[in-house]
Amino acid sequence: MKLNPFVKAGIGLTFALIWSCPTLAAMTESKNFGLEVKITGQSEDDRDLGTAPGGDVNGVGLDLRPWVYGESGAWSAYAMGQAVTSTDIIETDTLQQSDSESSQTTDNGDRKTKKNYLAMREFWVGYSGLTPYPGEILKFGRQRLRNDDGQWRDTNIEALNWTFDTTLLRANVGVAERFSEYRTDLKELAPKDKDRLHAYADAAYQWTPGNWVGIRGHHTHDDGKLDYAEPGVPRDSLDKTQNGDISWLGLTADSDAYNWRNTNTVNYWGSITGMSGDRDSVNPLNADGTAPAQAKRSDDINGWATDLGVRLRLDPQWQVGAAYARASADYQQNGLESNRSNYTGTRSRVHRFGEAFRGEMSNMQTATLFGSWMLNDQYDASLIYHKFWRVDGNKPVGSNGINAVENNTDDVTGAILSSTSLPLQDGNKDLGQEMDLVVTKYFKQGLLPAALSQSIDEPSALVRFRGGVFKPGDAYGSQVDSYMHRAFIDVIWRF
């Protein structure tokens, strides 16, 4: 399997930095290395809502993640690799995109997800000597960026990131750009990631015990070369058709609600975000196959989004809550999000917009009810109900875990000639509803260096079930299946 020169350079630089210091190498050899073993079983039916043949997933995958970490004075370094083998193309990684972009194919197969692959998840060097505070670190390299609600950042990406985390003040400042997937199967980036620079900053202040207010901003500068439509030249699914500059500015307030360890009787969270920018889009060919009069069009885009929630603790084990989110028709997220968080109050991170539907903040509103349960450090469970609507019944929604298609068939034989994305029914806002269940059994506690808290979600061995059943609404029309489901069983053990 062939790695591109950037991947080779990144891997080589990382391990050279890690092992070039004798003290660091000795510390790593003695204690700061390990292996995360993850076995994932996935069952998925009707992601296409029954509009295409196949489309089901049933398989088991083995995901091995060796890692090494070391410290020397104010310096630290970390690297995590990955080797995956599976019986079907399944998701062993909750950061893996589930929409159609994750498995787009081109004529040369440069972005075709495979059952077996090798990858580098992270490789970074850190420095903690800029301030005397223990929660401060500057990292350079491919790293895990994450914020509490997962709606702004939760991904592995090349970045220069500074984190400041103290009792009263938390802050992050950084720049990031994706240059490679660092996987042997995905040799090309998704079009939206090509030449897209992210700059971001956020700060939150604890104004009274357990209550935080914050401000956060994000800017994307996308100057990637557009692939214009040409008569007689077929479109490639990896052609870049949009670029531009977009900025987000948001305000937040919460009661440390995403910290599953807090014992508040009432927890709350709220955020409001505005978005503004400009976007260039490639115009398609005319209906007769000729070139359009203008190769591209330019638009100003503006939007806003909010996410509100409250959670009530009934006793030390049981909690119930409700949440509401809404994003305007033209709003879009910045592309680094996972939308996974601990909003139900348990240790398990859950998708904010459904384990099956996996919506995003774009022309969508969501009403959510949930209950959760925790027993010491051994068990937790969340049961969640979602209802989804479009904000504008005549515009599409953002990417999600549904990939329904509309088929063009031969009138005589019934053979499928071509397929395009299924358009939502004009005027119908009802996207559907979903029930989720997430249950986890933890086996033992494990201690990891504090600097790895972003890189490794769970500090223990576990068995977890994650599942959702989605029932599509009227917006999908009457010719789709009644239900789709997506379910996982994860077994994780760390050596």
Side-chain angles (χ1 to χ4, degrees):
M1 288 173 285
K2 190 175 180 180
L3 300 178
N4 65 44
F6 192 89
V7 177
K8 292 179 180 178
I11 296 174
L13 174 62
T14 298
F15 283 101
L17 287 167
I18 289 176
W19 295 105
S20 62
C21 173
T23 304
L24 188 60
M27 290 180 63
T28 303
E29 183 179 359
S30 64
K31 60 179 180 179
N32 285 343
F33 62 92
L35 176 68
E36 177 180 314
V37 179
K38 185 175 185 180
I39 300 172
T40 298
Q42 179 177 349
S43 172
E44 180 180 312
D45 186 28
D46 283 346
R47 179 187 298 193
D48 52 37
L49 301 182
T51 59
D56 300 339
V57 176
N58 290 283
V60 178
L62 174 64
D63 187 338
L64 303 178
R65 303 178 185 180
W67 60 272
V68 58
Y69 172 79
E71 295 179 0
S72 179
W75 291 91
S76 58
Y78 176 74
M80 173 182 273
Q82 187 175 25
V84 174
T85 183
S86 58
T87 61
D88 201 344
I89 297 177
I90 68 172
E91 300 172 28
T92 65
D93 188 352
T94 55
L95 297 184
Q96 181 176 330
Q97 295 295 318
S98 64
D99 60 22
S100 58
E101 286 187 356
S102 68
S103 57
Q104 283 183 337
T105 57
T106 62
D107 294 336
N108 56 18
D110 280 346
R111 192 171 176 82
K112 182 178 176 59
T113 304
K114 296 182 180 179
K115 298 177 183 178
N116 309 308
Y117 63 87
L118 300 176
M120 282 298 297
R121 291 178 62 83
E122 293 189 60
F123 45 88
W124 51 260
V125 175
Y127 180 68
S128 303
L130 296 180
T131 74
Y133 295 94
E136 176 266 330
I137 187 170
L138 177 70
K139 292 181 183 178
F140 174 72
R142 182 171 169 85
Q143 58 191 280
R144 176 78 172 273
L145 300 180
R146 186 172 75 194
N147 69 307
D148 286 342
D149 62 15
Q151 294 176 13
W152 286 56
R153 299 186 302 276
D154 190 13
T155 190
N156 294 325
I157 189 171
E158 301 89 312
L160 176 64
N161 180 78
W162 181 72
T163 296
F164 185 80
D165 188 353
T166 65
T167 304
L168 296 179
L169 181 65
R170 301 170 182 166
N172 293 275
V173 179
V175 291
E177 183 173 347
R178 201 178 302 280
F179 295 99
S180 171
E181 298 285 4
Y182 302 93
R183 285 175 46 161
T184 54
D185 54 346
L186 303 182
K187 301 179 181 66
E188 290 288 334
L189 291 173
K192 65 180 182 181
D193 288 326
K194 294 178 180 178
D195 300 306
R196 191 179 194 189
L197 176 68
H198 300 262
Y200 57 87
D202 60 72
Y205 174 69
Q206 186 175 201
W207 61 278
T208 190
N211 293 273
W212 295 78
V213 293
I215 184 170
R216 52 191 181 182
H218 194 109
H219 178 77
T220 60
H221 174 63
D222 187 344
D223 62 352
K225 181 179 180 295
L226 297 177
D227 297 303
Y228 296 107
E230 298 180 39
V233 179
R235 301 295 295 173
D236 190 305
S237 59
L238 295 188
D239 284 350
K240 191 172 182 67
T241 59
Q242 287 187 345
N243 63 15
D245 291 87
I246 306 176
S247 298
W248 294 259
L249 182 64
L251 301 175
T252 64
D254 67 81
S255 61
D256 208 19
Y258 298 104
N259 178 8
W260 61 272
R261 292 183 177 87
N262 87 52
T263 57
N264 300 339
T265 302
V266 178
N267 276 291
Y268 67 88
W269 70 87
S271 66
I272 181 74
T273 303
M275 180 203 74
S276 180
D278 58 82
R279 179 174 57 200
D280 293 333
S281 303
V282 170
N283 286 322
L285 295 174
N286 297 322
D288 60 1
T290 59
Q294 298 292 329
K296 68 177 181 179
R297 63 187 183 278
S298 299
D299 304 290
D300 293 328
I301 56 173
N302 298 280
W304 66 275
T306 187
D307 184 19
L308 307 169
V310 62
R311 191 173 69 243
L312 174 65
R313 185 179 301 277
L314 303 178
D315 62 29
Q317 296 181 11
W318 292 93
Q319 301 181 72
V320 294
Y324 174 77
R326 180 184 177 96
S328 64
D330 294 322
Y331 185 85
Q332 64 186 61
Q333 294 181 265
N334 62 47
L336 301 185
E337 74 283 345
S338 72
N339 291 320
R340 290 188 172 275
S341 68
N342 304 92
Y343 73 92
T344 64
T346 71
R347 195 172 180 175
S348 300
R349 299 172 67 242
V350 182
H351 200 293
R352 178 65 182 84
F353 307 115
E355 291 290 336
F357 183 65
R358 297 186 183 179
E360 68 174 25
M361 301 278 270
S362 179
N363 193 31
M364 189 181 74
Q365 60 179 332
T366 308
T368 303
L369 297 173
F370 61 88
S372 62
W373 169 78
M374 286 194 301
L375 179 62
N376 302 322
D377 289 330
Q378 299 180 40
Y379 298 92
D380 64 41
S382 298
L383 182 65
I384 308 138
Y385 170 78
H386 301 280
K387 178 67 177 175
F388 307 104
W389 301 268
R390 279 194 289 179
V391 172
D392 187 328
N394 295 305
K395 291 186 177 182
V397 295
S399 62
N400 52 55
I402 306 299
N403 188 27
V405 300
E406 185 175 54
N407 297 315
N408 177 25
T409 59
D410 186 282
D411 294 336
V412 178
T413 65
I416 297 176
L417 302 177
S418 62
S419 296
T420 57
S421 295
L422 178 71
L424 298 175
Q425 301 292 305
D426 283 344
N428 285 326
K429 295 185 177 182
D430 181 12
L431 291 170
Q433 53 191 320
E434 176 170 336
M435 286 294 298
D436 290 344
L437 177 64
V438 179
V439 182
T440 307
K441 160 65 176 174
Y442 301 93
F443 287 103
K444 69 173 187 176
Q445 283 293 113
L447 297 178
L448 293 172
L452 302 190
S453 60
Q454 292 286 85
S455 302
I456 299 178
D457 289 335
E458 306 287 352
S460 60
L462 60 88
V463 175
R464 173 175 292 145
F465 171 83
R466 297 180 286 120
V469 178
F470 174 71
K471 182 179 181 180
D474 293 340
Y476 285 99
S478 59
Q479 304 302 312
V480 298
D481 279 2
S482 298
Y483 295 94
M484 69 84 63
H485 81 266
R486 181 180 285 114
F488 300 85
I489 294 179
D490 297 318
V491 179
I492 298 176
W493 194 270
R494 295 187 175 87
F495 297 93

